[in-house]
Amino acid sequence: MSVELAGDVAVFLALVMALLAGAAFFITATGRRNLFAFGVRAYVLQILFVFAACVYLFYLIFTNDFRINYVYQYSSTTLPFFYMLSSFWAGQEGTYLLWLLFSSLFGLIILYRGGRYTTWALGFYSVINLFFAVVLMNLSPFRLLPFPAAEGAGLNPLLQDPWMVIHPPVMFLAYAAAGVPFALALAAMVRRDFTDWLKITFPYVVITSLLLVAANVMGGYWAYKTLGWGGYWAWDPVENTSFVPWVISIGLIHGMLVERRSGALRRSNLLLACLTFFLVVYGTFLTRSGVLADFSVHSFVDLGINSFLIFFMMLFLIITLVVFFLSRTPEKTGRPLNYNIFSQEFILFAGMMLMLVLGAIVEFWSSLPMATRYFMANPSSADIATYNSFAFPLAILVSLFLTLAPFVTGVGTESAGLRTRAAIFGALGLILAVILFVLKAVEMPMAVTVLLYTAVMLIYVAEAHLRTRLLTAIGIGIAGVVVAMLLGVDSFAYLFFIGAGVAAAGAQVQIIIHYLGSRPELVGGHLTHFGVGVMLVGIIASSAFSTGEKVTLPRHEEKSSYDYGITYRGMAGSVMTTNNELLLTLNRGDNSREARPHFFYVPRMEAMMKRPYIDKHLTFDLYLSPLDVQELSDAGGLRLIKGQTDTIGAYTVTFNSFDMRAHGGETGIAVAAELDVSRDGVTERIKPVLASGHDGTFVSEPIPLMSGSADSVKLNQVLPGQGAVVLEIPGLVEVGPPDQLLLDVSIKPGINLLWLGTILIAVGLALVSVVRIRR
């Protein structure tokens, strides 16, 4: 069997088993024949064949079998172990195979925990696995090169990062997990039996959300530490394809909490469970169809599988809609929602709707390039300002309900005079908004947000049983505003945002302290909400208040930037060396440290690549991103090629040759220039040395030009490719810096609050999932 055929046979057999398993489960579910045991055996064989294909691809990668196109494209003999490991999922073919593996394994959750929905759910889930198997038969990672290569092209330098080992697998785990609630929801609707669907499905919705947020945060941090543009989220359309399913999954979690308490929103939850997975498939189409190639640095090129992506995307949509509309029963409708604004149901419903609105708007703008390419000569996309214009006010409203959520419990009570108070508080909010708008302190969207936040908060504060805790949270928020003002923040919009975020975090702290002693199993959700409040403050602090400046650093000259003295000392190698490091010294007070950002040319991309250096502190990051290294034509010095003689003042200097056996470097790397120096008829031979120090830089100590002479000479540069040297003779021939570094220096205040908040969100979701699975 050929090397190509072995892998393709494994994938083909997995496809056959997925087809047989799905057919067996559907036949069993419809009651025609009981083929469940046969379906399970076929499903297990499918897993084994997929696993075998994965193992075989790993084998081809680690044995450097460059007969295989995929191995050639993404691996090489020079890659370290972990980067060879990650080359498995560096291209489209490998990611589809990885996704199929994870999807197959997640099907075991349905098999063992699907309860009464197992058979139907496994049938629908087998369609998902069949989709990936069909794609892989047409986009095989086992295809041969026309001619075997001696060496591979290697992993893209942008992907040679430790996060490449972790981030993609977590993302595809999340995508695979999204299929579980999808299949269970379809099964519940087909059976028209919703007895256990919520209890069985809810933990896996939380797990999907946990994996999605973890993957998004990893991707953001990877961009922050690697790409050098100073940010972590650019509303890139491809980034949004994983962000939107996460937002929808959060909305679904809130909807399912409402259903668990009262039986309301069942139809919405069933549809959202299906929508979350559909958005994953739709995002896959956007990312891999090539429609975003001109609008995203993450987009894949079209590899000729668009027809399969469109077919299965439409198939999943049709299945969802047909099952949803044909399964109308009173049980599916559930109970009506309690719209009492002082009920816990309403607060959860409001949180759910905010997430759905955010997801819908982001998805609309992310799809703009695809929509405009069919109706406009020049396709367009939304810029960052467009996304921020709606995300900013929505984040404040999210903070509002995060502040209210811990204290609004139960079914709510009738409040006397509610309409009157609502009118009064609405008028007060309107007056405040108008004043701010007239004074040009805020734009219209922000004015409306202030109106809504103020009016709603006052309505709830007016309730006696809520007043004390809400006023405490508001007081914490005001304290946050005062601190921000003392730090120099003077924008009303930013101060309002910070106050809302801090108030939300303060409200959650109160309830977390309360539950830690009495009901610790309820801490997870509130810890997630606390993390959201902290994250929002971190987002506004690190983005709105980030400052930067561009600094020009001639070699060996210290320049000041912020409170730092920065000196550029050259390069560890050359710009043509992969992962070449720029050697910087940072001085701040009595402290001195070395910084080594990367700057090098990548032939494969025909572009320069940079990796920033981040000097982390508790309250801020110092972010150093190289922009360019410029050679200076007026560097000066005495340049001599072998055999050349020149007269400098009273001296005649001849460069004879290099001496590569010179000594003097701390690391043993040194080269000398053999010079003949003449004056007044006397000739002497000297050897100035250029030697490496412990930090990788090369230095030359001055030596006398001639015995008894007050003049000295230094070997400033060695140019072996030109057979030349550059000498410096102080007082006679001066040498300026050979190059200069253009460096972008920026301060990122509060960035650690962002990372802390995202970690707390993930930990909170993990606690919730553990509790729900145990139950």
Side-chain angles (χ1 to χ4, degrees):
M1 185 179 294
S2 71
V3 64
E4 174 190 23
L5 189 59
D8 285 338
V9 165
V11 172
F12 175 74
L13 291 175
L15 184 153
V16 172
M17 292 302 109
L19 187 61
L20 292 176
F25 290 133
F26 280 128
I27 290 172
T28 302
T30 55
R32 298 177 184 176
R33 291 183 61 185
N34 187 355
L35 299 177
F36 184 80
F38 174 81
V40 171
R41 286 194 292 270
Y43 195 90
V44 172
L45 285 173
Q46 172 207 307
I47 295 175
L48 293 176
F49 287 128
V50 173
F51 184 76
C54 292
V55 170
Y56 186 56
L57 183 56
F58 273 124
Y59 169 78
L60 295 173
I61 292 171
F62 280 99
T63 56
N64 300 310
D65 195 332
F66 299 126
R67 293 175 296 172
I68 302 298
N69 180 62
Y70 190 81
V71 178
Y72 166 77
Q73 289 287 344
Y74 301 106
S75 184
S76 70
T77 57
T78 60
L79 284 179
F81 172 81
F82 285 109
Y83 292 157
M84 290 188 72
L85 184 73
S86 58
S87 63
F88 183 104
W89 45 81
Q92 289 201 55
E93 300 92 329
T95 55
Y96 279 119
L97 183 56
L98 183 71
W99 195 346
L100 176 57
L101 175 65
F102 289 156
S103 180
S104 301
L105 293 174
F106 266 104
L108 296 176
I109 292 175
I110 300 175
L111 179 61
Y112 290 104
R113 290 184 174 268
R116 67 185 69 204
Y117 310 111
T118 298
T119 307
W120 274 109
L122 281 174
F124 288 119
Y125 203 79
S126 294
V127 177
I128 298 174
N129 294 331
L130 184 64
F131 157 56
F132 293 117
V134 170
V135 168
L136 284 166
M137 288 304 300
N138 292 274
L139 192 65
S140 172
F142 303 104
R143 287 178 180 169
L144 293 171
L145 279 172
F147 301 98
E151 179 59 274
L155 193 63
N156 187 324
L158 282 172
L159 303 180
Q160 293 185 32
D161 187 275
W163 288 107
M164 178 61 183
V165 184
I166 307 170
H167 167 64
V170 173
M171 183 65 78
F172 288 103
L173 275 171
Y175 288 171
V180 175
F182 167 74
L184 289 170
L186 289 176
M189 288 188 285
V190 170
R191 286 176 53 89
R192 302 185 181 185
D193 181 353
F194 308 98
T195 308
D196 299 323
W197 106 272
L198 185 68
K199 181 177 69 174
I200 293 173
T201 307
F202 187 74
Y204 306 108
V205 174
V206 177
I207 289 173
T208 299
S209 185
L210 168 62
L211 291 170
L212 283 170
V213 71
N216 277 289
V217 172
M218 288 177 186
Y221 186 74
W222 184 2
Y224 176 69
K225 71 177 284 289
T226 301
L227 297 183
W229 59 281
Y232 44 83
W233 192 263
W235 295 110
D236 183 286
V238 172
E239 295 172 352
N240 296 341
T241 60
S242 58
F243 173 77
V244 173
W246 176 66
V247 169
I248 300 302
S249 72
I250 292 294
L252 174 58
I253 289 173
H254 288 78
M256 296 180 89
L257 289 174
V258 172
E259 183 181 351
R260 194 188 69 173
R261 284 168 169 77
S262 66
L265 298 180
R266 178 169 293 157
R267 285 184 301 181
S268 299
N269 293 333
L270 290 164
L271 197 57
L272 288 177
C274 297
L275 179 63
T276 301
F277 176 72
F278 175 77
L279 288 172
V280 168
V281 178
Y282 175 68
T284 301
F285 167 72
L286 284 181
T287 303
R288 296 162 185 262
S289 63
V291 298
L292 299 178
D294 297 328
F295 303 97
S296 172
V297 297
H298 306 289
S299 179
F300 290 93
V301 298
D302 177 16
L303 294 183
I305 59 168
N306 284 1
S307 57
F308 296 100
L309 292 175
I310 294 172
F311 173 78
F312 277 100
M313 184 171 62
M314 298 307 299
L315 176 64
F316 291 134
L317 179 62
I318 292 170
I319 290 174
T320 298
L321 294 177
V322 169
V323 171
F324 182 80
F325 286 110
L326 292 183
S327 60
R328 295 182 178 181
T329 63
E331 291 79 11
K332 178 185 155 187
T333 303
R335 298 179 181 177
L337 180 69
N338 179 4
Y339 287 99
N340 187 310
I341 67 169
F342 299 109
S343 68
Q344 191 175 46
E345 277 186 49
F346 179 81
I347 297 295
L348 289 169
F349 173 71
M352 168 185 169
M353 292 307 299
L354 284 172
M355 292 297 100
L356 297 185
V357 169
L358 176 61
I361 297 175
V362 173
E363 193 67 65
F364 170 79
W365 288 114
S366 300
S367 302
L368 189 64
M370 182 186 68
T372 55
R373 72 178 298 177
Y374 294 110
F375 302 105
M376 298 173 61
N378 297 313
S380 60
S381 66
D383 57 13
I384 294 178
T386 300
Y387 286 100
N388 288 341
S389 66
F390 64 80
F392 191 94
L394 280 175
I396 293 176
L397 295 179
V398 168
S399 298
L400 167 64
F401 285 97
L402 287 178
T403 307
L404 300 174
F407 313 128
V408 180
T409 58
V411 297
T413 57
E414 294 297 327
S415 180
L418 175 60
R419 291 185 178 181
T420 302
R421 292 201 305 275
I424 294 172
F425 296 145
L428 290 174
L430 179 60
I431 292 170
L432 176 60
V434 170
I435 292 173
L436 292 171
F437 182 72
V438 170
L439 295 177
K440 297 183 178 180
V442 296
E443 300 293 334
M444 181 58 73
M446 186 62 196
V448 174
T449 305
V450 171
L451 163 63
L452 292 174
Y453 187 99
T454 304
V456 172
M457 184 61 78
L458 288 175
I459 289 172
Y460 282 89
V461 169
E463 295 296 304
H465 67 288
L466 301 175
R467 187 174 303 140
T468 301
R469 287 185 169 181
L470 283 178
L471 287 176
T472 301
I474 293 170
I476 295 172
I478 292 173
V481 170
V482 172
V483 171
M485 292 176 68
L486 292 174
L487 293 174
V489 181
D490 56 7
S491 165
F492 179 85
Y494 292 152
L495 289 172
F496 198 92
F497 190 103
I498 292 171
V502 173
Q508 299 301 324
V509 168
Q510 295 181 64
I511 205 69
I512 288 172
I513 294 173
H514 173 72
Y515 280 144
L516 277 175
S518 58
R519 301 185 67 184
E521 71 276 8
L522 298 180
V523 167
H526 294 290
L527 184 62
T528 297
H529 289 167
F530 174 67
V532 172
V534 173
M535 179 189 70
L536 291 176
V537 175
I539 288 174
I540 200 68
S542 61
S543 55
F545 308 126
S546 174
T547 58
E549 60 182 8
K550 292 176 174 57
V551 181
T552 301
L553 300 170
R555 189 183 293 201
H556 300 307
E557 291 185 23
E558 183 177 272
K559 292 291 186 72
S560 295
S561 181
Y562 297 102
D563 295 330
Y564 291 82
I566 307 176
T567 305
Y568 167 55
R569 297 181 290 105
M571 293 181 279
S574 74
V575 292
M576 303 304 294
T577 305
T578 302
N579 293 322
N580 170 58
E581 295 176 324
L582 304 178
L583 307 177
L584 305 179
T585 299
L586 302 179
N587 294 311
R588 192 185 192 199
D590 296 331
N591 296 322
S592 179
R593 70 179 67 188
E594 186 178 57
R596 294 196 172 202
H598 291 188
F599 190 74
F600 56 96
Y601 180 75
V602 181
R604 181 174 180 175
M605 302 171 62
E606 297 184 349
M608 300 300 297
M609 179 178 172
K610 58 186 177 182
R611 287 197 186 102
Y613 176 84
I614 304 173
D615 188 25
K616 299 194 72 67
H617 298 264
L618 181 62
T619 58
F620 70 93
D621 281 357
L622 175 69
Y623 196 89
L624 307 177
S625 179
L627 300 175
D628 194 14
V629 176
Q630 299 175 337
E631 298 290 334
L632 297 179
S633 58
D634 57 349
L638 175 60
R639 184 179 183 278
L640 298 173
I641 62 174
K642 288 183 181 180
Q644 183 179 356
T645 300
D646 204 344
T647 300
I648 304 297
Y651 302 95
T652 300
V653 182
T654 302
F655 171 43
N656 297 319
S657 63
F658 296 110
D659 183 356
M660 308 303 294
R661 297 170 296 175
H663 299 284
E666 295 181 25
T667 60
I669 303 174
V671 61
E674 186 179 280
L675 307 175
D676 285 340
V677 182
S678 302
R679 180 179 180 179
D680 300 330
V682 178
T683 300
E684 295 183 5
R685 179 158 291 183
I686 61 173
K687 291 184 179 182
V689 177
L690 185 65
S692 63
H694 68 279
D695 59 358
T697 59
F698 283 81
V699 295
S700 178
E701 296 296 333
I703 63 172
L705 261 174
M706 297 187 72
S707 301
S709 171
D711 295 312
S712 61
V713 62
K714 292 198 304 182
L715 178 57
N716 195 66
Q717 279 185 280
V718 174
L719 307 172
Q722 304 172 31
V725 293
V726 177
L727 306 173
E728 179 180 1
I729 307 175
L732 296 175
V733 181
E734 301 292 344
V735 176
D739 57 11
Q740 63 183 15
L741 168 65
L742 300 184
L743 186 68
D744 188 5
V745 183
S746 57
I747 296 289
K748 309 291 183 184
I751 187 73
N752 290 328
L753 289 176
L754 166 67
W755 307 127
L756 174 63
T758 56
I759 291 171
L760 291 173
I761 292 171
V763 172
L765 287 171
L767 291 175
V768 171
S769 63
V770 169
V771 170
R772 297 304 174 190
I773 289 174
R774 286 180 176 177
R775 286 184 176 181

